[in-house]
Amino acid sequence: MAVLSESVIGQRFPRIEGLAHVTGRTRYVDDIYLPGMLYAAVRMAEYHNARIINIDISEAEKLPGVVAVVTGKDIPNNRFGFKVQDQPVLADDYVRHLGQPVAAVAATRPDIAWEAVQRIKVEYEPLPPVFDALEAMKPDAPAIHEGGNVEPVAPDLDHRRIRMGDCEAAFKEADVIVEDRLSKSMREHTPMEVHVSVAELDAVGKVVIYSCSQLPHLHQLVLSGILKLPLHKIRLVGGTVGGGFGSKNDICTDHLAAVLALKTGRPVKWLFTREQEFLLSTGDQAYPLIIMKSGVRRDGTIIARQVYAVQDTGAFCVFGSAGVDKFSWYVRGPYAIPNYWFDGYCVYTNKAASGAMRGFNVADAIFACEVHMEHIAEVLGMDPLELRRKNVAHEGFISTTFTEMHDVRAKEVLEAAALAFGYERIREAKRSGLYPGVEIPPNKRRGVGICLGYQGTGSTGGKDPAMAEVSVNADGTVILRVGSPDIGCGQKTVLAQICAEELGVPISAITVVAGDTEATPYSFGTAGNRVTHHDGNAVRRAATEAKRLLCEVAAEDLGLKPEDLDIRGGVVFVKEAPTEWQAPVAQVAAKAILDKGRILVGRGYYMPEAGPVDAEGRGKVTEQYVFACCMAEVEVDLRTGQVDVLRTVLCHDVGRAINPLLCEGQMDGGMAFGIGMALMEDLYPRYPSAEEVARSLHDYKIPTAADMPPDHTNVVLEFPGKTGPWGAKAIGEFTSNTGAAAIINAIHDACGVWVFDLPARPERVLRALEDENKGLTGRSEVSWKR
């Protein structure tokens, strides 16, 4: 029997659940139908801000087929939240945003439930809404919550304040000061699968919730508080999510489905409509104001950066000011700027609550930083690539949280992207007045843009444990149990590869059980670029332990020590004499379990060396940073303002690509997200007014295949890190965070105007083109020193 030694790490395995997905055999939550199941619907508020005077449910209760009607008083604990418990399951005293659920119905058919909620009569006292976060900050603004409209970042700390160095002194030394005012809209995640939950009571009265949660173990803890039940009485069954992008970090349907199941004793399904997905789920944070101010020397050295930012968090906190923290860490950029001051506020408004979206404010910070960098380059008459080369961070660079950074690969991704894009060739051709090899119509212009960014790995700024369990069956097959569900990124495949490599068995022998709070150990969940790095480390340690147990059993019969044996290709063998004695894993496992009564279960745990920042913003928020660069080429129609993205290059340092095929898939999807952020996605198109809000995919535009660049290149760089499994770092959500700024910068390169407000819809581009000062009046200031 030959010992197979080919590594599965770095192999382009297709997703292990891919065939089931494309043939329609994958079961999502909405595919679940249970005997006697009821259907939930909610009465949604007609006002943005109002006091509830009375709720009359009597007519709804009379409707045949209605089994239960509940209001806020029926919720065991009608307040929840990750950071501040300010969000009601059902509005009781006040409604704080349009569409907020006020009452809920469970009925035998969906149409009956919908008719019943229309019969619920709610008497309101309308109150003046506050839509503009800048207005909400004023002392005389109507208070959305007790204590005011600014959500503290910590006790006695109303905003995030960072003071690194002395910006005031540095501005006096600078040759030029460049200041820009930017903004970014609120976006909706728009997953294909809307929020949906099915809740039932099992034979012993336990609440079982089939959920599309990204964070099932964390949500179990929150639901325990809402339902006033111990953890062992609540089970979330997840594992396969039809797209999340951060929206399913938040509890939107699990709680009410569970409340109605408890009240009726029957299974209950609550499935959002697409309109409810827009109105009731969390979007990402809007930034109505970002002021970027940098002091620069004539040679391009940036010596100071001062940032003021206001985050619109909507009606409820959710993760709230944690987003401002993340913004503060990355808006300085991957640049060695010695003096950095930051002031950032998290502000309540009467709009839907906001939460995490693919980077949780990192994309917003990178956009502001990189458009500002492009403007600095223009002011200096310097090539944008050279400006970045001049200031790029280096090994030992001190982060914005005052810790030393290692494995800094900003320069490497910048140069690799420039090479793959052919940046120098295009720039040289443009300087000579000839765009390379292209005849451009007179009404159109082409340009190229750069974006360089970085992000931490994991749920940065807090504790972020990961655990895994590896069980070997009597036939040599393996069950891998992990708490993080697969939300479409291929986590099951990557973790199976890590397990297979460390245990020494084929990937085909591994079954992955994920996201079930009763069947898997705790994990924070699938968010924050964490699964490959954090859960991967836990899986590797669990597989190491399972391997040791197998070798221990085999060594007993051979009179050897467990460390004298190894496993590869599903075969146990003696390291020093691999051909003299071999045994299939199945044979050893069968003997261990059936003959010796041994338990072949390995357990692994991983807790990164990271945590929160203090009042001054100091702390180690992540143990591994990742770097990326995007370059884009666009064509702008001067008559219509239409922007077409023609070519993109996306370069990431992933540390070690556990599965290069899945890395490339993530990068393709991330590029689509960047295009949407740059050009079209806007939940409140008349911001700061919330009178017009997107309610459907007719109102809210996201990229389709037709919007993707005809020419897109992924560059996967591998500089193995010190902390991840086999040097793996992260890729996931970060792939979506550099595209927008590259596109905006390319628009400026094409036609000379700045679009400082995202998204750059055609009317905004036209407005900038029509402005006699090319859109800069009132949005930028440039001060040269004599």
Side-chain angles (χ1 to χ4, degrees):
M1 182 183 298
V3 177
L4 302 177
S5 59
E6 183 179 356
S7 174
V8 298
I9 299 299
Q11 299 300 310
R12 301 172 68 87
F13 284 103
R15 289 171 54 169
I16 56 180
E17 75 281 24
L19 183 61
H21 286 355
V22 299
T23 56
R25 295 202 303 272
T26 298
R27 188 176 81 157
Y28 295 93
V29 176
D30 191 34
D31 296 320
I32 297 172
Y33 293 90
L34 301 176
M37 189 169 74
L38 303 174
Y39 298 86
V42 295
R43 178 62 187 263
M44 297 162 62
E46 298 92 346
Y47 294 94
H48 298 280
N49 193 20
R51 187 171 71 88
I52 297 174
I53 297 173
N54 185 55
I55 303 173
D56 183 354
I57 62 174
S58 58
E59 291 301 313
E61 290 179 313
K62 295 175 185 177
L63 186 66
V66 171
V67 180
V69 182
V70 297
T71 62
K73 62 182 175 56
D74 298 300
I75 311 298
N77 176 17
N78 197 31
R79 286 291 183 277
F80 72 101
F82 294 113
K83 193 170 185 290
V84 178
Q85 299 208 346
D86 62 356
Q87 185 169 359
V89 178
L90 291 172
D92 38 27
D93 299 323
Y94 295 90
V95 295
R96 296 305 191 192
H97 68 86
L98 182 69
Q100 185 179 345
V102 175
V105 171
T108 53
R109 297 202 316 256
D111 60 322
I112 295 174
W114 277 105
E115 183 178 346
V117 297
Q118 304 311 313
R119 296 189 178 196
I120 297 172
K121 298 175 183 177
V122 186
E123 185 180 354
Y124 297 100
E125 177 193 346
L127 300 172
V130 185
F131 300 140
D132 186 344
L134 303 180
E135 292 295 320
M137 295 177 71
K138 294 180 178 179
D140 59 348
I144 297 170
H145 294 282
E146 290 184 12
N149 297 334
V150 175
E151 193 260 301
V153 300
D156 303 319
L157 193 65
D158 70 338
H159 75 285
R160 174 55 63 201
R161 183 178 184 273
I162 297 174
R163 295 294 183 267
M164 175 182 286
D166 189 340
C167 278
E168 291 181 351
F171 284 138
K172 293 177 182 178
E173 296 176 8
D175 294 317
V176 63
I177 296 174
V178 180
E179 181 175 320
D180 296 319
R181 292 172 174 252
L182 307 97
S183 74
K184 195 231 87 190
S185 67
M186 185 177 182
R187 295 177 292 160
E188 162 60 28
H189 303 80
T190 333
M192 291 182 68
E193 177 197 46
V194 296
H195 280 80
V196 56
S197 302
V198 175
E200 65 169 343
L201 304 183
D202 70 6
V204 295
K206 179 184 301 178
V207 183
V208 180
I209 305 167
Y210 301 92
S211 172
C212 57
S213 167
Q214 292 180 228
L215 315 174
H217 285 277
L218 184 59
H219 286 181
Q220 182 192 32
L221 290 167
V222 176
L223 288 166
S224 175
I226 293 171
L227 302 175
K228 291 188 175 179
L229 291 174
L231 290 177
H232 78 276
K233 298 290 286 184
I234 303 170
R235 178 186 180 190
L236 265 71
V237 182
T240 301
V241 179
F245 313 122
S247 68
K248 290 165 184 170
N249 286 2
D250 307 313
I251 296 178
C252 292
T253 52
D254 290 344
H255 44 28
L256 262 180
V259 166
L260 289 167
L262 283 164
K263 186 173 181 66
T264 63
R266 294 170 62 173
V268 176
K269 176 185 285 188
W270 186 17
L271 172 70
F272 270 4
T273 64
R274 182 57 69 176
E275 180 184 38
Q276 288 175 328
E277 189 70 23
F278 280 101
L279 294 180
L280 304 187
S281 73
T282 56
D284 76 338
Q285 286 82 3
Y287 273 87
L289 179 62
I290 306 167
I291 302 176
M292 304 286 298
K293 181 179 178 181
S294 293
V296 191
R297 294 197 175 111
R298 291 181 186 273
D299 67 355
T301 303
I302 304 172
I303 60 174
R305 173 157 296 168
Q306 188 171 3
V307 181
Y308 177 89
V310 176
Q311 172 192 297
D312 181 347
T313 201
F316 305 109
C317 179
V318 191
F319 290 102
S321 60
V324 176
D325 279 344
K326 291 198 75 170
F327 187 96
S328 73
W329 302 335
Y330 301 111
V331 73
R332 178 186 175 205
Y335 304 109
I337 303 173
N339 302 287
Y340 171 64
W341 287 5
F342 177 86
D343 292 275
Y345 293 82
C346 177
V347 182
Y348 291 113
T349 61
N350 290 119
K351 298 201 289 296
S354 59
M357 179 186 278
R358 300 204 77 177
F360 191 26
N361 295 43
V362 177
D364 310 347
I366 291 174
F367 153 70
C369 169
E370 289 299 286
V371 173
H372 184 57
M373 288 292 290
E374 207 84 359
H375 188 202
I376 291 171
E378 181 186 59
V379 168
L380 295 174
M382 191 173 186
D383 184 273
L385 179 61
E386 289 303 320
L387 177 68
R388 289 171 172 84
R389 284 170 170 163
K390 179 79 175 178
N391 293 281
V392 71
H394 46 74
E395 188 69 12
F397 163 69
I398 302 301
S399 76
T400 52
T401 61
F402 301 88
T403 58
E404 196 171 278
M405 291 175 59
H406 298 287
D407 197 20
V408 178
R409 300 294 179 178
K411 185 175 187 298
E412 287 85 348
V413 297
L414 180 66
E415 299 298 344
L419 181 64
F421 192 74
Y423 180 87
E424 305 280 10
R425 175 180 58 84
I426 293 174
R427 278 295 183 190
E428 182 59 36
K430 289 195 74 173
R431 280 192 288 269
S432 66
L434 297 173
Y435 206 89
V438 179
E439 185 174 338
I440 303 172
N443 63 297
K444 295 186 177 182
R445 299 288 185 273
R446 289 192 179 188
V448 297
I450 306 172
C451 177
L452 179 66
Y454 76 117
Q455 182 174 338
T457 296
S459 178
T460 46
K463 297 297 182 182
D464 191 2
M467 305 170 201
E469 187 175 278
V470 172
S471 303
V472 183
N473 297 320
D475 64 353
T477 58
V478 177
I479 300 176
L480 168 60
R481 295 181 174 89
V482 290
S484 299
D486 196 317
I487 66 171
C489 306
Q491 291 98 320
K492 288 184 178 179
T493 305
V494 167
L495 296 179
Q497 285 180 254
I498 291 171
C499 181
E501 179 75 12
E502 187 64 28
L503 186 54
V505 300
I507 191 173
S508 58
I510 296 173
T511 297
V512 182
V513 178
D516 184 334
T517 60
E518 197 164 89
T520 64
Y522 182 90
S523 175
F524 179 81
T526 305
N529 281 334
R530 65 176 300 286
V531 173
T532 299
H533 186 275
H534 292 23
D535 289 279
N537 275 327
V539 168
R540 187 175 187 184
R541 292 177 180 183
T544 299
E545 175 65 10
K547 181 178 181 178
R548 185 191 65 78
L549 293 172
L550 282 167
C551 291
E552 190 176 275
V553 170
E556 287 175 358
D557 293 338
L558 295 173
L560 299 173
K561 297 178 182 178
E563 54 266 31
D564 294 331
L565 305 181
D566 201 355
I567 305 175
R568 278 286 176 269
V571 175
V572 184
F573 60 92
V574 179
K575 290 179 182 178
E576 298 299 324
T579 59
E580 291 184 11
W581 182 89
Q582 297 180 6
V585 166
Q587 177 182 316
V588 177
K591 187 168 187 176
I593 295 169
L594 303 177
D595 293 349
K596 299 189 175 188
R598 301 286 289 273
I599 299 174
L600 298 178
V601 179
R603 294 181 176 88
Y605 170 80
Y606 185 73
M607 176 68 87
E609 295 180 3
V613 296
D614 63 17
E616 295 180 347
R618 296 174 180 268
K620 184 177 181 180
V621 297
T622 183
E623 62 180 5
Q624 180 69 71
Y625 286 99
V626 288
F627 296 82
C629 181
C630 181
M631 295 194 178
E633 179 180 9
V634 305
E635 185 172 79
V636 181
D637 191 320
L638 302 180
R639 299 171 303 179
T640 66
Q642 175 67 32
V643 177
D644 293 319
V645 182
L646 304 178
R647 191 164 67 96
T648 49
V649 167
L650 189 54
C651 177
H652 275 256
D653 169 31
V654 302
R656 177 75 186 277
I658 302 296
N659 188 318
L661 180 65
L662 298 185
C663 288
E664 293 163 8
Q666 283 290 288
M667 295 166 82
D668 290 343
M671 196 65 241
F673 249 80
I675 291 170
M677 178 178 174
L679 301 178
M680 57 191 76
E681 295 193 48
D682 197 343
L683 191 58
Y684 294 94
R686 297 292 178 264
Y687 190 93
S689 170
E691 295 296 340
E692 184 176 339
V693 55
R695 295 171 181 259
S696 71
L697 291 173
H698 175 75
D699 307 319
Y700 187 86
K701 304 302 181 185
I702 60 174
T704 68
D707 299 297
M708 293 298 289
D711 183 353
H712 173 68
T713 301
N714 294 316
V715 181
V716 178
L717 296 185
E718 295 185 274
F719 294 99
K722 296 179 179 179
T723 57
W726 289 279
K729 296 174 183 173
I731 187 166
E733 64 185 22
F734 187 38
T735 60
S736 65
N737 292 344
T738 54
I743 291 167
I744 297 301
N745 289 338
I747 292 171
H748 173 71
D749 185 56
C751 53
V753 300
W754 292 108
V755 182
F756 285 132
D757 304 302
L758 287 187
R761 297 191 302 265
E763 61 268 29
R764 283 180 171 165
V765 176
L766 274 180
R767 193 179 305 131
L769 286 166
E770 292 166 0
D771 190 277
E772 62 181 0
N773 292 310
K774 296 185 177 180
L776 292 178
T777 301
R779 302 303 303 276
S780 293
E781 294 181 14
V782 178
S783 303
W784 282 95
K785 305 289 184 64
R786 291 186 177 180

